[in-house]
Amino acid sequence: MNPDPNIETAILTVTDLSIAFISDGIENTAVDHVSFELQRGSTLGIVGESGSGKSLTSLAIMGLVPKPNGVVKNGSILFHGNADVKTNLLQLPEKEMRLWRGKRIAMIFQEPMTSLNPAYRCGKQVMENILEHEKVSKSEARNRTLDLFREVMLPDPERTFTAYPHQVSGGQKQRVMIAMALACNPDILIADEPTTALDVTVQKTILELLRSLQKKHNISLIFISHNLDVIAEIAANVLVMYKGKIVEKGSIEQIFKHPQHPYTKGLLACRPPLGKRPQRLKVIADFIEKSGNETDTFVSPAERKLNHEKLYFAKPILKAEGLNTIFTLKRNLAGKAIKQYKAVNNVSFEVYPGETLGLVGESGCGKTTLGRTILRLVEPTSGNTVYNNLQVNQLNADDLRKLRKKLQIIFQDPYSSLNPRITIGEAIIEPMRIHKLHGNDTLRKSKVFELLQKVGLEEKHYGRYPHEFSGGQRQRICIARALAVEPEFIICDESVSALDVSVQAQVLNLLNDLKKEFGLTYLFISHDLSVVRYMSDRLMVMKNGEIQEMGEADEVYSNPQSEYTRLLLEAIPKGEVG
């Protein structure tokens, strides 16, 4: 007799799961007696900050707990099949687990930049999953891959199919990962931060896509995110994890309207508010270590106006004058370009000393290329950058190297922008050596200790390697490295986009503190309009390589002039429940 379809039945039951990492004989518990159920055809949200154990819990379901250091100490993970057959996934041998992984249970991994193999074309990587689990020809696998690329809204499926991962944007890489996970119509899909690197319009599209696919194929979805607003858009129920434990669980409405645990209250309060501008964002420590009820201090419109009058009275520190950056995609046999892409199209703007100029736009709009063009990490096709009356595009290699002491960049991905083979202390000290700062290595090491403390790390971290840190800690290391050469101007390229909301608040506060302490000027690039608005004095909106709109940040946010800006604002998850 078939079960009543109206009665919820569990497809996955996790009971008393505990995972530890053993290093030098010392055991550290990372997941501590976690229990929950995933109902068939439903969406369960898991939220928590970096290091809370949410991703490790999902890796255990996939049989991917890192070995040999990672050990499942306790618990069971039961998959409920047909005819009430239950399989404990923790007891499956690796050979059998490979048959489940990707077919019955699939995962969209958090970091598309490091999860895709750089040596293989995007299409081939998705085809590989289909051919591994399905008895189909290569031709059929290719057609299915192209269909998946269309389904996840990749703008040019044929081009993406033949492209290597480094040839597509961060958001497009994430969509390739989503296509790969959906390739074999899994029963359970684990989405680990699947929209973190995506701009709000694509994020909205992906959430709608996941909802429609879930309904169409009756997929059971575990959706992991640091963003409670995103969780509210897709999940009915949510678990809140903190330091390896589930501290609160319930419906979205219960968690949003009546949070009980201080950590949950902190997560909800860390987001940049939409209608006002606090001096500092709330952080988790305000609720765990204090009451969290301290009076907030806000920047008044009159105070902001006065600050801007002083700010814009000065001469610009940087000018972009008619910048164009064109990439050649295809050449003929004679070497002549026959297919080109204009990533930056006649862009001009000014940045003033002490200003934070925000730059927002969708994935692939050219904002990262613009930032790199300013620094000549990508050579402009035409136009010029002027920094303190210095013609940047006319500098030779030696002079450009000297200028880069003043102009620094914090890259988008803290995972790939640090060399995994050198300690973080060496990573920070290296630019000091190049620019011959602070005399000798003994003095430089003291400076590194000082910088680590500035960004909220400790001296003991000096000799550790990047893989020993969380994503938020890695980003702090990248900030310390940028500060090592005592710059004047920093381009923050999506520097908080990969961070959970609580760590994001800490880093945004840190960037504002450092700006005041060192008199820094920022070009702050992000796809997140609410974050850019909070950080910025003025705001530029970019689309297809062109500036669509520019103005005072609050004015652009409250009274957008372009249709494109209005669409971006409408796509921001509002976290509305009930």
Side-chain angles (χ1 to χ4, degrees):
M1 183 176 178
N2 292 327
D4 186 341
N6 295 316
I7 299 176
E8 281 193 333
T9 56
I11 190 171
L12 191 78
T13 303
V14 177
T15 305
D16 214 23
L17 178 68
S18 294
I19 304 169
F21 284 94
I22 301 172
S23 178
D24 297 327
I26 300 172
E27 185 176 297
N28 296 300
T29 300
V31 173
D32 192 359
H33 298 285
V34 163
S35 299
F36 63 87
E37 282 191 340
L38 172 65
Q39 301 300 327
R40 200 175 297 272
S42 72
T43 299
L44 175 68
I46 304 180
V47 70
E49 64 185 327
S50 178
S52 66
K54 58 189 189 299
S55 293
L56 188 57
T57 300
S58 67
L59 289 174
I61 296 169
M62 294 289 292
L64 293 174
V65 173
K67 296 179 180 179
N69 292 347
V71 179
V72 177
K73 301 290 291 183
N74 190 63
S76 64
I77 301 175
L78 298 181
F79 182 93
H80 301 253
N82 297 327
D84 205 32
V85 175
K86 297 179 182 179
T87 304
N88 188 349
L89 301 179
L90 294 177
Q91 295 178 353
L92 291 178
E94 176 59 25
K95 186 176 181 180
E96 190 173 345
M97 190 64 200
R98 278 201 299 268
L99 300 177
W100 285 66
R101 195 184 297 133
K103 174 64 177 173
R104 305 293 298 275
I105 306 173
M107 187 167 179
I108 304 165
F109 290 96
Q110 181 174 357
E111 281 296 327
M113 296 185 185
T114 52
S115 299
L116 291 171
N117 190 326
Y120 290 91
R121 300 179 191 274
C122 294
K124 184 175 181 181
Q125 296 188 56
V126 178
M127 278 181 62
E128 184 180 37
N129 192 33
I130 297 171
L131 293 170
E132 175 72 20
H133 295 289
E134 307 278 352
K135 293 181 179 179
V136 297
S137 65
K138 286 186 178 181
S139 176
E140 186 176 343
R142 183 183 188 279
N143 290 335
R144 279 176 56 174
T145 298
L146 287 170
D147 286 341
L148 284 163
F149 282 179
R150 294 184 191 100
E151 205 166 12
V152 298
M153 309 297 179
L154 279 161
D156 190 343
E158 291 282 355
R159 187 183 76 81
T160 306
F161 187 93
T162 58
Y164 289 96
H166 72 273
Q167 294 175 312
V168 298
S169 71
Q172 289 167 352
K173 287 188 188 77
Q174 189 66 288
R175 281 177 270 183
V176 171
M177 285 294 302
I178 293 168
M180 189 185 302
L182 296 173
C184 296
N185 297 318
D187 298 301
I188 295 174
L189 177 62
I190 301 171
D192 187 5
E193 302 276 12
T195 61
T196 295
L198 304 183
D199 55 79
V200 288
T201 52
V202 179
Q203 174 179 266
K204 184 178 180 181
T205 303
I206 293 300
L207 292 176
E208 291 172 350
L209 171 66
L210 288 173
R211 277 196 294 263
S212 66
L213 289 168
Q214 179 188 28
K215 186 175 181 181
K216 181 179 178 182
H217 301 290
N218 198 33
I219 294 172
S220 305
L221 179 64
I222 296 175
F223 194 98
I224 300 169
S225 179
H226 64 256
N227 191 328
L228 271 165
D229 290 334
V230 172
I231 291 282
E233 292 275 320
I234 195 166
N237 296 289
V238 63
L239 311 174
V240 182
M241 291 190 71
Y242 177 59
K243 292 187 175 179
K245 295 181 179 181
I246 295 174
V247 296
E248 191 162 359
K249 64 173 72 173
S251 70
I252 282 291
E253 186 166 353
Q254 288 172 327
I255 296 299
F256 261 80
K257 294 187 175 180
H258 307 288
Q260 300 299 308
H261 196 276
Y263 179 68
T264 311
K265 294 177 182 177
L267 281 180
L268 288 164
C270 285
R271 301 165 296 171
L274 298 180
K276 47 193 175 181
R277 184 182 297 276
Q279 292 277 11
R280 295 181 66 79
L281 293 173
K282 291 279 191 180
V283 297
I284 294 296
D286 294 332
F287 293 83
I288 300 296
E289 299 170 9
K290 307 172 188 175
S291 68
N293 296 322
E294 293 78 8
T295 304
D296 287 323
T297 305
F298 295 97
V299 179
S300 69
E303 183 183 355
R304 184 169 167 83
K305 183 179 179 182
L306 183 62
N307 288 339
H308 284 178
E309 286 175 357
K310 294 177 182 177
L311 191 67
Y312 300 122
F313 184 76
K315 293 181 180 179
I317 189 173
L318 182 139
K319 294 181 182 180
E321 301 174 334
L323 284 178
N324 289 279
T325 306
I326 300 173
F327 295 113
T328 297
L329 303 178
K330 192 174 182 180
R331 297 180 184 273
N332 60 20
L333 293 175
K336 184 179 179 181
I338 57 174
K339 188 176 182 182
Q340 293 183 316
Y341 173 68
K342 185 173 276 192
V344 176
N345 187 5
N346 195 31
V347 168
S348 299
F349 61 89
E350 298 175 339
V351 190
Y352 291 82
E355 180 183 23
T356 297
L357 177 62
L359 176 60
V360 72
E362 294 180 284
S363 174
C365 74
K367 56 189 187 295
T368 291
T369 302
L370 176 58
R372 297 187 180 200
T373 300
I374 290 166
L375 295 177
R376 281 183 59 190
L377 296 174
V378 173
E379 290 291 343
T381 308
S382 61
N384 193 27
T385 301
V386 180
Y387 184 79
N388 276 338
N389 298 320
L390 198 63
Q391 302 286 325
V392 176
N393 295 2
Q394 296 175 14
L395 297 178
N396 60 34
D398 287 340
D399 289 337
L400 183 59
R401 189 180 296 110
K402 292 174 185 175
L403 178 65
R404 284 186 178 149
K405 177 183 176 297
K406 298 179 181 178
L407 295 169
Q408 284 289 300
I409 184 169
I410 302 168
F411 291 102
Q412 178 175 358
D413 182 20
Y415 292 83
S416 59
S417 58
L418 290 170
N419 188 330
R421 295 184 178 183
I422 66 173
T423 65
I424 64 110
E426 281 296 308
I428 298 170
I429 213 170
E430 182 182 35
M432 296 183 193
R433 290 196 189 110
I434 290 171
H435 291 284
K436 298 180 173 60
L437 296 176
H438 308 299
N440 57 53
D441 276 1
T442 301
L443 295 173
R444 289 173 188 136
K445 189 171 182 179
S446 297
K447 184 65 176 178
V448 173
F449 288 158
E450 180 186 326
L451 288 169
L452 287 174
Q453 290 175 340
K454 288 280 185 194
V455 300
L457 297 173
E458 300 176 42
E459 290 185 11
K460 67 181 182 181
H461 293 137
Y462 182 96
R464 296 185 184 177
Y465 290 87
H467 73 272
E468 299 180 74
F469 296 90
S470 69
Q473 289 172 321
R474 283 190 186 99
Q475 196 60 282
R476 290 170 181 267
I477 293 162
C478 292
I479 292 170
R481 184 177 60 180
L483 291 172
V485 293
E486 300 174 346
E488 299 170 346
F489 187 103
I490 298 179
I491 296 175
C492 304
D493 184 10
E494 299 277 12
S495 54
V496 297
S497 65
L499 305 182
D500 58 78
V501 69
S502 55
V503 179
Q504 181 184 89
Q506 295 171 28
V507 173
L508 293 177
N509 285 340
L510 172 64
L511 288 170
N512 280 332
D513 290 343
L514 293 170
K515 178 184 173 182
K516 291 176 185 176
E517 183 175 352
F518 296 108
L520 299 171
T521 302
Y522 293 144
L523 175 62
F524 191 90
I525 301 172
S526 179
H527 62 256
D528 189 330
L529 252 172
S530 58
V531 168
V532 175
R533 172 193 166 272
Y534 172 73
M535 290 294 291
S536 302
D537 297 293
R538 289 183 303 147
L539 179 59
M540 296 191 297
V541 181
M542 194 171 188
K543 179 186 180 184
N544 296 334
E546 299 179 344
I547 301 299
Q548 300 290 304
E549 185 169 352
M550 182 189 299
E552 200 277 333
D554 288 350
E555 180 65 22
V556 171
Y557 196 89
S558 61
N559 187 27
Q561 298 302 302
S562 76
E563 180 62 25
Y564 177 67
T565 308
R566 283 192 283 273
L567 290 173
L568 287 180
L569 288 166
E570 288 170 5
I572 297 174
K574 302 300 189 296
E576 296 170 356
V577 295

XYZ file of all heavy atoms in Angstrom, residues 132-201:
548
model
N 29.176 8.887 -16.008
C 29.535 8.026 -14.873
C 28.322 7.252 -14.359
O 28.429 6.095 -13.944
C 30.117 8.890 -13.750
C 30.417 8.158 -12.455
C 31.626 7.242 -12.540
O 32.456 7.431 -13.453
O 31.728 6.321 -11.704
N 27.139 7.903 -14.376
C 25.962 7.311 -13.744
C 24.865 6.874 -14.713
O 23.949 6.153 -14.315
C 25.372 8.314 -12.746
C 26.275 8.624 -11.585
N 26.544 7.729 -10.585
C 26.993 9.745 -11.284
C 27.374 8.271 -9.703
N 27.661 9.491 -10.111
N 24.930 7.309 -15.962
C 23.862 7.008 -16.913
C 24.424 6.251 -18.121
O 25.534 6.532 -18.568
C 23.195 8.309 -17.405
C 22.721 9.231 -16.300
C 21.369 8.835 -15.744
O 20.747 7.934 -16.341
O 20.953 9.412 -14.739
N 23.653 5.322 -18.649
C 24.069 4.573 -19.835
C 23.601 5.329 -21.082
O 22.585 4.998 -21.711
C 23.476 3.161 -19.811
C 24.039 2.303 -18.685
C 23.447 0.899 -18.700
C 24.034 0.052 -17.572
N 23.462 -1.317 -17.539
N 24.363 6.358 -21.430
C 24.029 7.186 -22.588
C 25.292 7.401 -23.414
O 26.414 7.221 -22.942
C 23.452 8.561 -22.154
C 22.146 8.384 -21.403
C 24.454 9.337 -21.318
N 25.090 7.793 -24.670
C 26.225 8.070 -25.547
C 26.823 9.434 -25.207
O 26.198 10.264 -24.540
C 25.767 8.066 -27.005
O 24.865 9.139 -27.238
N 28.031 9.681 -25.697
C 28.669 10.979 -25.478
C 27.865 12.098 -26.127
O 27.769 13.208 -25.598
C 30.093 10.958 -26.026
C 31.067 10.158 -25.178
C 32.489 10.300 -25.697
C 33.466 9.544 -24.807
N 34.859 9.682 -25.286
N 27.263 11.792 -27.279
C 26.460 12.790 -27.973
C 25.242 13.188 -27.147
O 24.924 14.379 -27.010
C 26.011 12.240 -29.338
O 25.150 13.149 -29.979
N 24.574 12.179 -26.547
C 23.409 12.475 -25.721
C 23.818 13.213 -24.454
O 23.129 14.138 -24.010
C 22.680 11.180 -25.351
C 21.362 11.424 -24.617
C 20.590 10.145 -24.331
O 20.898 9.110 -24.965
O 19.687 10.192 -23.483
N 24.950 12.820 -23.874
C 25.448 13.510 -22.673
C 25.766 14.963 -22.983
O 25.508 15.856 -22.167
C 26.683 12.795 -22.138
N 26.313 15.206 -24.187
C 26.620 16.580 -24.593
C 25.337 17.406 -24.720
O 25.260 18.543 -24.230
C 27.370 16.582 -25.924
C 27.804 17.972 -26.380
C 28.480 17.920 -27.746
N 29.060 19.211 -28.085
C 28.382 20.243 -28.584
N 27.060 20.130 -28.784
N 28.989 21.391 -28.843
N 24.314 16.828 -25.359
C 23.048 17.544 -25.537
C 22.376 17.827 -24.194
O 21.816 18.911 -23.981
C 22.117 16.733 -26.435
C 22.590 16.703 -27.884
O 23.311 17.605 -28.332
N 22.211 15.667 -28.621
N 22.456 16.853 -23.275
C 21.870 17.051 -21.951
C 22.608 18.145 -21.189
O 22.003 18.939 -20.467
C 21.879 15.741 -21.163
C 20.717 14.819 -21.549
C 20.752 13.489 -20.861
N 20.776 13.574 -19.415
C 20.695 12.498 -18.608
N 20.595 11.286 -19.150
N 20.731 12.622 -17.309
N 23.917 18.200 -21.357
C 24.713 19.234 -20.700
C 24.320 20.617 -21.208
O 24.142 21.554 -20.427
C 26.216 18.984 -20.931
O 26.573 17.725 -20.356
C 27.057 20.082 -20.306
N 24.166 20.744 -22.525
C 23.759 22.027 -23.098
C 22.360 22.426 -22.618
O 22.098 23.602 -22.345
C 23.805 21.957 -24.630
C 25.211 21.942 -25.241
C 25.132 21.633 -26.737
C 25.926 23.272 -25.017
N 21.451 21.440 -22.497
C 20.111 21.720 -21.975
C 20.186 22.220 -20.527
O 19.472 23.153 -20.142
C 19.241 20.458 -22.036
C 18.803 20.120 -23.463
O 18.864 21.026 -24.324
O 18.419 18.964 -23.707
N 21.065 21.594 -19.737
C 21.239 22.018 -18.352
C 21.797 23.433 -18.280
O 21.371 24.244 -17.455
C 22.181 21.050 -17.620
C 21.576 19.707 -17.210
C 22.682 18.707 -16.881
C 20.645 19.876 -16.008
N 22.747 23.737 -19.159
C 23.321 25.088 -19.192
C 22.248 26.123 -19.520
O 22.252 27.233 -18.980
C 24.465 25.170 -20.199
C 25.762 24.567 -19.709
C 26.876 24.544 -20.525
C 25.866 24.031 -18.440
C 28.072 24.010 -20.073
C 27.048 23.482 -17.975
C 28.164 23.476 -18.797
N 21.325 25.762 -20.408
C 20.219 26.682 -20.718
C 19.286 26.813 -19.509
O 18.783 27.896 -19.212
C 19.440 26.186 -21.928
C 20.241 26.194 -23.228
C 19.405 25.786 -24.429
N 20.264 25.569 -25.588
C 20.668 24.382 -26.018
N 20.249 23.279 -25.393
N 21.469 24.270 -27.064
N 19.072 25.691 -18.818
C 18.152 25.686 -17.689
C 18.665 26.546 -16.535
O 17.880 27.159 -15.805
C 17.933 24.243 -17.212
C 16.632 24.030 -16.493
C 16.296 22.557 -16.330
O 17.172 21.701 -16.580
O 15.163 22.260 -15.945
N 19.983 26.599 -16.345
C 20.545 27.415 -15.265
C 20.917 28.820 -15.751
O 21.635 29.554 -15.092
C 21.766 26.731 -14.604
C 21.369 25.427 -13.969
C 22.908 26.534 -15.591
N 20.392 29.172 -16.921
C 20.472 30.545 -17.435
C 21.891 31.017 -17.757
O 22.197 32.201 -17.605
C 19.827 31.545 -16.452
C 18.447 31.182 -15.998
S 17.268 31.162 -17.378
C 15.758 30.678 -16.548
N 22.742 30.118 -18.220
C 24.042 30.570 -18.713
C 23.817 31.324 -20.022
O 23.080 30.857 -20.889
C 24.980 29.378 -18.917
C 25.653 28.880 -17.634
C 26.181 27.468 -17.798
C 26.768 29.816 -17.211
N 24.428 32.495 -20.185
C 24.096 33.366 -21.318
C 24.465 32.793 -22.682
O 23.795 33.080 -23.663
C 24.885 34.642 -21.033
C 25.961 34.232 -20.093
C 25.403 33.111 -19.281
N 25.520 31.993 -22.761
C 25.967 31.427 -24.034
C 26.383 29.979 -23.792
O 27.576 29.681 -23.612
C 27.133 32.248 -24.592
C 27.487 31.861 -26.027
O 27.066 30.764 -26.465
O 28.184 32.643 -26.696
N 25.409 29.033 -23.781
C 25.712 27.641 -23.435
C 26.809 27.011 -24.290
O 27.670 26.293 -23.766
C 24.368 26.929 -23.656
C 23.347 27.993 -23.458
C 23.972 29.242 -24.007
N 26.788 27.285 -25.589
C 27.794 26.677 -26.481
C 29.200 27.167 -26.126
O 30.154 26.381 -26.073
C 27.470 27.024 -27.944
C 26.214 26.359 -28.482
C 26.432 24.897 -28.865
O 27.595 24.436 -28.796
O 25.442 24.225 -29.204
N 29.330 28.467 -25.863
C 30.649 29.013 -25.512
C 31.099 28.487 -24.153
O 32.264 28.118 -23.969
C 30.614 30.541 -25.482
C 31.994 31.164 -25.299
C 31.922 32.672 -25.198
N 31.444 33.124 -23.910
C 32.219 33.221 -22.817
N 33.485 32.880 -22.869
N 31.710 33.663 -21.685
N 30.163 28.427 -23.186
C 30.520 27.936 -21.855
C 30.930 26.471 -21.910
O 31.832 26.047 -21.183
C 29.334 28.110 -20.882
O 28.900 29.472 -20.906
C 29.729 27.735 -19.465
N 30.288 25.713 -22.784
C 30.598 24.283 -22.910
C 32.069 24.066 -23.259
O 32.737 23.179 -22.717
C 29.707 23.644 -23.986
C 29.844 22.142 -24.072
C 28.988 21.319 -23.364
C 30.825 21.554 -24.854
C 29.113 19.937 -23.427
C 30.958 20.181 -24.926
C 30.095 19.372 -24.214
N 32.604 24.895 -24.136
C 33.990 24.723 -24.593
C 34.982 25.561 -23.792
O 36.187 25.478 -24.008
C 34.118 25.078 -26.078
O 33.686 26.433 -26.273
C 33.266 24.151 -26.936
N 34.475 26.392 -22.869
C 35.356 27.285 -22.100
C 35.964 26.551 -20.917
O 35.371 25.623 -20.348
C 34.575 28.492 -21.609
N 37.170 26.967 -20.538
C 37.779 26.510 -19.291
C 37.239 27.376 -18.149
O 36.790 28.509 -18.380
C 39.300 26.629 -19.366
C 39.935 25.623 -20.302
C 40.242 25.977 -21.619
C 40.216 24.330 -19.875
C 40.817 25.059 -22.490
C 40.803 23.407 -20.741
C 41.101 23.771 -22.049
O 41.661 22.862 -22.898
N 37.265 26.870 -16.908
C 36.706 27.641 -15.789
C 37.232 29.067 -15.670
O 36.478 29.979 -15.331
C 37.094 26.794 -14.569
C 37.106 25.393 -15.081
C 37.648 25.513 -16.480
N 38.516 29.275 -15.971
C 39.069 30.628 -15.819
C 38.550 31.591 -16.883
O 38.747 32.805 -16.773
C 40.607 30.589 -15.867
C 41.172 30.324 -17.232
N 41.377 29.041 -17.715
C 41.560 31.166 -18.216
C 41.877 29.130 -18.943
N 41.998 30.400 -19.266
N 37.869 31.062 -17.904
C 37.375 31.914 -18.982
C 35.935 32.389 -18.763
O 35.388 33.089 -19.616
C 37.480 31.164 -20.319
C 38.919 30.880 -20.736
C 39.013 30.042 -21.997
O 38.348 29.007 -22.127
N 39.829 30.488 -22.937
N 35.323 32.006 -17.639
C 33.961 32.463 -17.337
C 33.974 33.161 -15.976
O 34.887 32.979 -15.174
C 32.935 31.303 -17.341
C 32.863 30.662 -18.712
C 33.279 30.251 -16.290
N 32.961 33.982 -15.734
C 32.914 34.755 -14.493
C 32.593 33.858 -13.300
O 32.189 32.700 -13.452
C 31.847 35.845 -14.608
O 30.552 35.265 -14.579
N 32.745 34.428 -12.093
C 32.465 33.679 -10.876
C 31.030 33.186 -10.809
O 30.769 32.039 -10.444
N 30.091 34.050 -11.179
C 28.688 33.651 -11.172
C 28.390 32.555 -12.181
O 27.590 31.650 -11.930
N 29.051 32.622 -13.341
C 28.852 31.593 -14.365
C 29.449 30.257 -13.932
O 28.884 29.197 -14.212
C 29.442 32.069 -15.688
C 28.639 33.198 -16.319
C 29.365 33.901 -17.449
O 30.539 33.664 -17.697
N 28.671 34.802 -18.121
N 30.578 30.293 -13.226
C 31.149 29.055 -12.666
C 30.160 28.395 -11.722
O 29.996 27.168 -11.729
C 32.450 29.357 -11.907
C 33.653 29.694 -12.746
C 34.888 29.777 -11.844
C 36.107 30.294 -12.588
N 36.077 31.746 -12.797
N 29.503 29.213 -10.894
C 28.546 28.655 -9.944
C 27.399 27.979 -10.659
O 26.908 26.922 -10.250
C 28.032 29.767 -9.018
C 27.198 29.272 -7.843
C 27.992 28.451 -6.863
O 28.371 27.313 -7.158
N 28.254 28.997 -5.697
N 26.950 28.552 -11.773
C 25.853 27.959 -12.528
C 26.276 26.653 -13.196
O 25.481 25.731 -13.340
C 25.317 28.964 -13.544
C 24.407 29.997 -12.911
C 23.926 31.043 -13.886
N 24.843 32.178 -13.930
C 24.624 33.261 -14.652
N 23.543 33.347 -15.402
N 25.480 34.255 -14.632
N 27.550 26.565 -13.592
C 28.070 25.288 -14.118
C 28.015 24.225 -13.020
O 27.628 23.079 -13.262
C 29.520 25.457 -14.637
C 30.134 24.103 -14.982
C 29.537 26.365 -15.868
N 28.372 24.604 -11.790
C 28.316 23.675 -10.662
C 26.886 23.207 -10.400
O 26.645 22.035 -10.098
C 28.873 24.351 -9.403
C 30.385 24.491 -9.361
S 31.237 22.903 -9.273
C 30.540 22.226 -7.774
N 25.934 24.112 -10.508
C 24.530 23.757 -10.292
C 24.060 22.790 -11.366
O 23.372 21.799 -11.085
C 23.653 25.022 -10.252
C 23.993 25.856 -9.012
C 22.168 24.672 -10.264
C 23.397 27.248 -9.005
N 24.446 23.049 -12.615
C 24.105 22.138 -13.712
C 24.684 20.752 -13.467
O 24.023 19.728 -13.705
C 24.622 22.704 -15.041
N 25.915 20.691 -12.982
C 26.564 19.409 -12.708
C 25.812 18.628 -11.633
O 25.612 17.420 -11.731
C 28.013 19.652 -12.276
C 28.853 18.396 -12.170
S 30.508 18.728 -11.516
C 31.120 19.918 -12.694
N 25.381 19.326 -10.582
C 24.677 18.669 -9.483
C 23.313 18.133 -9.919
O 22.856 17.092 -9.451
C 24.510 19.639 -8.323
N 22.661 18.843 -10.842
C 21.322 18.440 -11.293
C 21.352 17.424 -12.420
O 20.299 16.916 -12.827
C 20.550 19.678 -11.755
C 20.245 20.743 -10.694
C 19.640 21.972 -11.351
C 19.322 20.199 -9.623
N 22.538 17.091 -12.903
C 22.671 16.307 -14.139
C 21.965 14.958 -14.097
O 21.449 14.494 -15.114
C 24.158 16.112 -14.463
N 21.933 14.300 -12.935
C 21.375 12.938 -12.866
C 20.082 12.878 -12.059
O 19.718 11.816 -11.539
C 22.415 11.991 -12.279
S 23.890 11.812 -13.293
N 19.377 14.015 -11.953
C 18.089 14.071 -11.251
C 18.141 13.391 -9.878
O 17.470 12.382 -9.639
C 16.981 13.429 -12.102
C 16.739 14.156 -13.390
O 16.719 15.383 -13.413
N 16.569 13.419 -14.476
N 18.927 13.914 -8.950
C 19.093 13.260 -7.649
C 17.831 13.317 -6.796
O 16.964 14.168 -7.002
C 20.221 14.074 -7.006
C 20.075 15.431 -7.621
C 19.661 15.176 -9.045
N 17.743 12.406 -5.824
C 16.638 12.425 -4.856
C 16.844 13.551 -3.843
O 15.893 14.203 -3.417
C 16.557 11.083 -4.109
C 16.268 9.927 -5.041
O 15.228 9.959 -5.705
O 17.100 9.007 -5.123
N 18.113 13.710 -3.422
C 18.451 14.750 -2.463
C 19.499 15.661 -3.089
O 20.487 15.181 -3.653
C 19.008 14.154 -1.154
C 17.943 13.322 -0.435
C 19.527 15.249 -0.223
C 18.460 12.581 0.791
N 19.267 16.943 -2.990
C 20.236 17.923 -3.466
C 20.673 18.775 -2.282
O 19.849 19.369 -1.597
C 19.623 18.810 -4.551
C 20.509 19.939 -5.098
C 21.757 19.379 -5.765
C 19.737 20.804 -6.086
N 21.985 18.803 -2.045
C 22.544 19.646 -0.990
C 23.158 20.867 -1.664
O 24.071 20.743 -2.474
C 23.615 18.892 -0.178
C 23.025 17.629 0.460
C 24.206 19.803 0.902
C 24.056 16.716 1.092
N 22.629 22.022 -1.362
C 23.118 23.268 -1.956
C 23.888 24.038 -0.886
O 23.291 24.629 0.012
C 21.947 24.091 -2.487
N 25.219 23.982 -0.967
C 26.072 24.624 0.037
C 26.465 26.015 -0.448
O 27.355 26.166 -1.281
C 27.322 23.760 0.283
C 28.167 24.285 1.443
O 27.731 25.244 2.094
O 29.258 23.737 1.680
N 25.767 27.028 0.051
C 26.005 28.423 -0.342
C 25.964 28.582 -1.871
O 26.875 29.149 -2.462
C 27.360 28.908 0.190
C 27.524 28.820 1.697
C 26.951 30.013 2.424
O 26.237 30.793 1.791
O 27.220 30.146 3.623
N 24.903 28.104 -2.544
C 24.904 28.103 -4.006
C 24.740 29.477 -4.638
O 24.991 29.647 -5.829
C 23.699 27.224 -4.356
C 22.750 27.443 -3.224
C 23.627 27.577 -2.010
N 24.313 30.471 -3.852
C 24.096 31.803 -4.429
C 25.037 32.851 -3.851
O 24.901 34.036 -4.149
C 22.640 32.266 -4.196
O 22.388 32.343 -2.790
C 21.653 31.311 -4.829
N 26.012 32.427 -3.056
C 26.892 33.379 -2.371
C 27.643 34.272 -3.352
O 27.767 35.478 -3.147
C 27.903 32.629 -1.486
O 27.191 31.953 -0.457
C 28.889 33.588 -0.843
N 28.150 33.691 -4.433
C 28.972 34.461 -5.371
C 28.150 35.130 -6.475
O 28.712 35.715 -7.387
C 30.025 33.545 -5.998
N 26.830 35.036 -6.382
C 25.988 35.522 -7.478
C 25.386 36.885 -7.161
O 25.060 37.191 -6.012
C 24.855 34.526 -7.746
C 25.268 33.086 -8.049
C 24.029 32.257 -8.354
C 26.252 33.008 -9.197
N 25.212 37.699 -8.199
C 24.519 38.967 -8.018
C 23.042 38.700 -7.755
O 22.536 37.601 -7.981
C 24.702 39.848 -9.252
C 24.267 39.155 -10.513
O 23.050 39.105 -10.765
O 25.131 38.638 -11.247
N 22.334 39.722 -7.272
C 20.984 39.509 -6.760
C 19.999 39.042 -7.827
O 19.095 38.251 -7.533
C 20.442 40.781 -6.060
C 21.130 41.001 -4.745
C 20.558 42.009 -6.951
N 20.148 39.507 -9.058
C 19.199 39.095 -10.101
C 19.397 37.630 -10.475
O 18.433 36.883 -10.640
C 19.341 39.975 -11.354
O 20.710 39.997 -11.762
C 18.864 41.373 -11.100
